[in-house]
Amino acid sequence: MKKNIQILLVFLFSVFLKAQSGPDFSILADKAFQKLYQNPDDCINYSLSILNSDQNIEHNIVLRNIISQAYAMKGDYVQSVNIASQQEEFKEKESLSYFMQAFGDYNLADQYQNLDLYNQSQKIISDLLSEKKLLKYNDKRMRITIAKLYQLQALNFGISRNQILALENLNKSDQYLDNQNEENKIISIENKIFRSSYLMQQNKLEEAKQIISKVILSIENHNNNPFLLALAHENFSRYYFLKSDYNSSIDQLEKGLSKIENLPFNPLKCKIYASLSKNYFALHNDEKYHQYNKLYADFRAKIDVNTKEGIRYIVKLVENSQNKTLEFQNQNQTRRFWILTFVFSFIILSLFIYFLALKNKNKDLKKQFEFFEKQKKKEKTIQTYVDVPKEEEILTVNKDSNKISKEKEVEILQKLDEWEESDQYLSKNMSLSMLSAQMGVNTKYLSEVINNNKRKNFNGYINELRINHIAHLLKTEPTYLNYKVSYLAEYSGFSSHSAFTTIFKSVTGMSPNAYIQEICKSRTS
């Protein structure tokens, strides 16, 4: 009997040692994050296999975040939102550590950015980074999360063309990175690629070239990382495009595409197809231009549809969780903001069904012929056009009730001024409801402010921005003078050549061809 007990104890001790010698979760999570940049499908399968055997709540949240990112890198934003939102099933959120609460907020900000709701993303990050407790947290998991928060904030500033703040946030992100694991190394490489992009936007081309060249060499020598290598080549192609060396630009794009052609990195493929199309157009290679332009259009259409579905899906999730979120109103300020952000987003997005699109008004003839004088006085940023369906009517505001306050009107006007500095209005999907969601503004108030202060409805406002944008490019970028009007129409967001010509003439007082001829004359005189 005693001998049997000894054997049993030896057996139990050996099992205990095996359990202790298993891989640490941080190692498994780091490997999952590495696979994220190698093949999203492999990353999903690998992470799910860990998820099914690990019942730790915090481990589950981390793995779901990685899986969510993998779906986002595929362009499947519905699944990305779905996976990320499943952490809501952990009812006792107050029992989670401070790190996991901050990590959850980062995850939400990341989801907002994926869905092009940049203001909401930026607000969450700003509130998080303003907490002294967060920045003093010395846990290595918190440090990498802070690094990713600063990186995400840099991307948000980059979208709004504020390269100075974007670069400052990338520098702050680097301060929280080390070389202890693959996740730190990958974030560091991403920061270098983004830094190169923002330097190019500041016309610091040679400094940008030096950074991106070293990044490509480093990845090729030390990493099996097709996504980062493709992203770096795509970034390098912009250097050559700005130098008007279109063949070298195409060479970089083709190198990048070759790394991910058989991998499901669809949003990145879409960017490369768009750049290839632009380069071949500059070379007047119509066959290649149409080939890549069609690929770009097909990918873009699928991604846009998925983005819209992702927004609808997150609205449904917010609606279903409203009652649950109210239970946590007394939590810390960051948690309260998360709840309010969800509720406020739901209110804005639910108003979609109440809107009628606005019909464009013709400009006064005198204003049409003053266009050139306005161009000389103001060099505005790029702006484009949204087609106006015939069925749309101008949204009128009852002046006797629900009148917007002066303070709110000033706030909305300030947001419009900031938005005009970006190029987000170039998106074909831009609508009153989309803009209101990005700004976090009631659509009815936004419509009223545009009508009263811009002296035109929303579509008329967008039309003028987009025409001013292409007119500015024609005036300042000689390359565009050689493009066909059909390309200018497509680039400006118009659905047809005739629509573009009609609106262009209504804004400038002359047809696109006449406008180009006038510019050519002024250059030769």
Side-chain angles (χ1 to χ4, degrees):
M1 180 69 180
K2 185 176 180 181
K3 185 176 181 180
N4 290 338
I5 293 175
Q6 290 176 337
I7 293 173
L8 179 61
L9 289 173
V10 170
F11 173 76
L12 291 174
F13 182 71
S14 65
V15 171
F16 174 78
L17 286 178
K18 286 183 179 180
Q20 292 299 307
S21 63
D24 183 79
F25 175 76
S26 61
I27 298 174
L28 297 175
D30 192 50
K31 186 175 181 181
F33 191 84
Q34 185 178 7
K35 286 180 176 290
L36 180 66
Y37 290 79
Q38 295 173 345
N39 187 328
D41 287 333
D42 289 348
C43 173
I44 292 169
N45 292 332
Y46 177 79
S47 301
L48 284 174
S49 67
I50 304 173
L51 191 66
N52 292 333
S53 59
D54 191 333
Q55 301 303 314
N56 184 288
I57 292 177
E58 294 194 353
H59 293 177
N60 270 252
I61 294 175
V62 171
L63 289 169
R64 282 176 174 152
N65 173 260
I66 294 174
I67 296 171
S68 174
Q69 290 183 65
Y71 279 113
M73 293 175 84
K74 293 177 63 174
D76 189 348
Y77 300 119
V78 174
Q79 274 293 83
S80 179
V81 172
N82 181 31
I83 293 294
S85 67
Q86 287 180 15
Q87 59 185 297
E88 293 293 331
E89 69 188 39
F90 302 117
K91 297 180 180 179
E92 297 181 359
K93 284 193 146 188
E94 67 277 6
S95 65
L96 294 179
S97 66
Y98 176 72
F99 162 72
M100 292 311 302
Q101 294 179 42
F103 184 80
D105 288 340
Y106 156 74
N107 189 22
L108 177 63
D110 192 32
Q111 290 299 321
Y112 274 134
Q113 193 192 65
N114 288 337
L115 297 173
D116 299 334
L117 301 175
Y118 303 110
N119 284 349
Q120 285 87 337
S121 174
Q122 186 169 335
K123 176 63 176 172
I124 294 173
I125 297 169
S126 297
D127 284 353
L128 266 176
L129 294 176
S130 66
E131 293 187 17
K132 294 181 180 179
K133 180 180 178 181
L134 178 81
L135 299 180
K136 291 181 178 179
Y137 219 86
N138 202 31
D139 182 87
K140 63 180 181 179
R141 299 177 304 166
M142 184 66 87
R143 290 184 64 84
I144 186 64
T145 301
I146 295 172
K148 290 194 285 188
L149 281 168
Y150 276 120
Q151 184 192 77
L152 203 59
Q153 189 77 308
L155 295 177
N156 286 328
F157 282 122
I159 291 293
S160 60
R161 297 279 182 177
N162 192 334
Q163 293 91 3
I164 294 176
L165 286 179
L167 289 168
E168 286 180 4
N169 277 273
L170 287 178
N171 291 336
K172 291 177 181 178
S173 176
D174 286 340
Q175 293 174 10
Y176 288 87
L177 294 172
D178 52 47
N179 290 318
Q180 291 184 358
N181 59 22
E182 288 301 319
E183 185 175 8
N184 276 270
K185 294 176 184 177
I186 289 171
I187 299 302
S188 178
I189 293 172
E190 281 188 322
N191 284 351
K192 290 183 175 67
I193 296 173
F194 297 143
R195 182 175 288 107
S196 172
S197 176
Y198 299 141
L199 288 171
M200 287 185 201
Q201 292 176 25
Q202 291 182 323
N203 206 29
K204 298 178 181 179
L205 300 184
E206 298 310 315
E207 186 178 350
K209 178 185 178 182
Q210 186 176 6
I211 293 173
I212 200 65
S213 299
K214 290 181 179 179
V215 167
I216 291 174
L217 184 62
S218 174
I219 299 174
E220 288 177 337
N221 290 339
H222 301 98
N223 289 296
N224 175 24
N225 200 316
F227 178 85
L228 287 181
L229 193 54
L231 183 64
H233 280 299
E234 191 274 335
N235 186 273
F236 202 3
S237 74
R238 300 180 204 172
Y239 167 83
Y240 289 111
F241 184 84
L242 293 171
K243 289 281 191 178
S244 298
D245 185 353
Y246 305 119
N247 286 314
S248 295
S249 179
I250 289 171
D251 181 58
Q252 289 294 324
L253 290 167
E254 288 180 341
K255 286 180 180 178
L257 185 60
S258 68
K259 302 299 179 184
I260 61 170
E261 199 158 17
N262 298 319
L263 297 171
F265 294 112
N266 296 329
L268 180 54
K269 285 183 185 177
C270 188
K271 286 179 64 177
I272 293 176
Y273 290 145
S275 297
L276 282 168
S277 173
K278 188 185 297 184
N279 277 278
Y280 279 118
F281 190 89
L283 291 173
H284 305 288
N285 188 331
D286 290 343
E287 181 181 354
K288 289 286 188 179
Y289 161 71
H290 288 298
Q291 174 188 342
Y292 285 109
N293 191 57
K294 185 178 186 307
L295 286 169
Y296 163 72
D298 291 343
F299 271 73
R300 184 76 264 167
K302 292 177 182 178
I303 292 171
D304 287 344
V305 167
N306 209 280
T307 299
K308 290 180 180 179
E309 288 300 317
I311 292 175
R312 292 193 187 99
Y313 190 77
I314 202 170
V315 170
K316 291 180 181 178
L317 291 173
V318 172
E319 183 180 13
N320 293 336
S321 63
Q322 251 186 317
N323 293 332
K324 294 180 181 179
T325 56
L326 291 175
E327 298 173 6
F328 305 107
Q329 285 183 344
N330 295 323
Q331 289 183 354
N332 63 60
Q333 184 178 1
T334 302
R335 298 302 299 161
R336 289 200 301 271
F337 175 75
W338 186 354
I339 296 170
L340 292 175
T341 299
F342 266 126
V343 173
F344 187 61
S345 299
F346 167 69
I347 293 172
I348 293 174
L349 293 170
S350 65
L351 291 175
F352 284 170
I353 61 175
Y354 297 109
F355 297 123
L356 294 172
L358 307 179
K359 185 178 180 181
N360 184 34
K361 295 180 179 179
N362 291 326
K363 279 191 170 183
D364 184 84
L365 185 60
K366 182 179 178 181
K367 291 183 179 179
Q368 296 175 12
F369 288 99
E370 291 175 348
F371 181 79
F372 266 117
E373 289 300 318
K374 291 180 180 179
Q375 284 288 305
K376 292 178 182 177
K377 294 178 181 178
K378 295 181 180 180
E379 292 295 337
K380 291 188 176 180
T381 50
I382 301 172
Q383 310 174 18
T384 59
Y385 156 78
V386 170
D387 293 326
V388 185
K390 294 181 180 179
E391 296 81 8
E392 294 183 335
E393 297 179 358
I394 299 174
L395 176 65
T396 59
V397 180
N398 187 345
K399 296 182 179 180
D400 297 325
S401 62
N402 300 324
K403 193 169 184 179
I404 186 173
S405 67
K406 187 64 179 177
E407 292 79 7
K408 189 66 178 177
E409 184 174 10
V410 170
E411 178 188 343
I412 294 173
L413 280 172
Q414 184 178 356
K415 289 184 177 181
L416 279 173
D417 289 340
E418 293 173 358
W419 179 73
E420 288 179 10
E421 293 299 319
S422 73
D423 58 2
Q424 294 179 47
Y425 46 76
L426 293 175
S427 171
K428 290 184 179 180
N429 296 316
M430 184 53 61
S431 63
L432 181 63
S433 55
M434 177 68 77
L435 181 56
S436 69
Q438 290 183 4
M439 289 186 173
V441 174
N442 183 292
T443 50
K444 186 175 181 181
Y445 287 171
L446 179 59
S447 177
E448 180 181 355
V449 170
I450 291 174
N451 275 272
N452 292 342
N453 293 274
K454 304 298 182 179
R455 301 304 177 190
K456 53 181 69 69
N457 60 36
F458 177 77
N459 290 296
Y461 170 57
I462 294 295
N463 292 351
E464 185 173 341
L465 289 178
R466 292 186 165 185
I467 292 300
N468 282 337
H469 164 71
I470 198 65
H472 174 75
L473 284 180
L474 288 168
K475 188 176 180 182
T476 58
E477 300 288 341
T479 303
Y480 284 85
L481 295 173
N482 300 319
Y483 291 170
K484 297 177 182 178
V485 174
S486 58
Y487 174 76
L488 297 178
E490 181 181 350
Y491 181 86
S492 304
F494 286 77
S495 62
S496 67
H497 177 288
S498 60
F500 171 70
T501 301
T502 300
I503 301 300
F504 192 99
K505 187 171 183 180
S506 73
V507 174
T508 66
M510 59 187 71
S511 67
N513 286 326
Y515 182 82
I516 291 171
Q517 290 174 6
E518 287 294 325
I519 294 176
C520 291
K521 288 179 183 178
S522 66
R523 287 181 177 275
T524 56
S525 61

